[in-house]
Amino acid sequence: GTETLRFRTVAPGDVGLLKQFGDSLSPAGRDFFCPYPWEDADRLDEALANGIGQSVRGVDLSFLLFSNDRPAGHFFLWKAGGNPHSLAHGVQIPELGVAISDANQGRGLGALAVRLLVVIARHLGADAVELTTALTNSSGWNTYLKAGFEHVGNIRNPLGVDVTAAALGAVQATAFREERQMVHVLK
């Protein structure tokens, strides 16, 4: 049959779909894409519900990508509604995150999600978009370079938490990883 691809913003009640998406990621995939505590069942539902709430309130913009009505990707612009950390420096720079299910890797869907997020950020008037990626994530690295992102250095990134909230001291990270920091300047 014919495949149908569609994407939409996350909505209240999508915790189950996001968990289904998380289950479609290998342990390595969950390690690369770790804005949520995938391995902590006690905290996962609350973290996913909080992420959905942040998008519904317009703080973040978070999306699900479906292939024939099954979650195939999850991507977002954290702080698309205003990043307090970057705004303190006079610029608006949301943070990009993209993950594609293992079964849908290598089809260009990650590159499509990145292009969509850059267009959305530009439409919202962002000055740039930034991201971090694991040093071992070569496919993500290549996708981001092809999309116009530049490597600006490596940082020690908190894992399993909202990075902006961690920078503001609102949440405490318990795990960290050295990652490449990349930026795509829009203005």
Side-chain angles (χ1 to χ4, degrees):
T2 303
E3 179 184 30
T4 301
L5 290 174
R6 67 181 175 88
F7 79 99
R8 65 165 172 80
T9 56
V10 295
D14 280 350
V15 168
L17 285 171
L18 287 171
K19 286 173 78 170
Q20 184 181 350
F21 172 72
D23 290 343
S24 76
L25 299 173
S26 65
R30 285 190 297 274
D31 185 52
F32 283 155
F33 185 71
C34 52
Y36 311 111
W38 296 115
E39 307 305 326
D40 187 341
D42 294 334
R43 293 179 41 230
L44 183 58
D45 283 7
E46 180 182 351
L48 293 172
N50 183 56
I52 291 167
Q54 290 286 89
S55 185
V56 169
R57 289 188 295 280
V59 175
D60 304 331
L61 285 178
S62 187
F63 303 90
L64 277 165
L65 171 68
F66 296 89
S67 171
N68 295 335
D69 296 322
R70 294 187 52 102
H74 176 43
F75 49 99
F76 55 77
L77 287 172
W78 261 344
K79 309 305 180 250
N83 186 335
H85 187 72
S86 65
L87 287 171
H89 302 282
V91 292
Q92 168 56 0
I93 305 175
E95 299 173 37
L96 177 147
V98 172
I100 302 298
S101 67
D102 288 11
N104 287 285
Q105 292 286 322
R107 301 180 56 212
L109 298 177
L112 174 63
V114 170
R115 286 195 307 273
L116 287 167
L117 292 173
V118 168
V119 166
I120 291 166
R122 185 174 279 122
H123 175 74
L124 292 173
D127 295 288
V129 178
E130 76 100 13
L131 62 88
T132 62
T133 187
L135 298 177
T136 55
N137 185 0
S138 57
S139 65
W141 166 255
N142 288 323
T143 296
Y144 301 133
L145 287 174
K146 287 177 187 170
F149 284 79
E150 298 176 43
H151 180 226
V152 294
N154 291 356
I155 64 170
R156 185 173 177 256
N157 207 30
L159 302 178
V161 297
D162 179 325
V163 175
T164 306
L168 296 172
V171 297
Q172 198 68 36
T174 57
F176 298 86
R177 172 175 57 214
E178 183 178 357
E179 296 189 344
R180 294 181 178 117
Q181 185 173 23
M182 303 181 80
V183 67
H184 187 319
V185 176
L186 304 176
K187 289 184 180 178

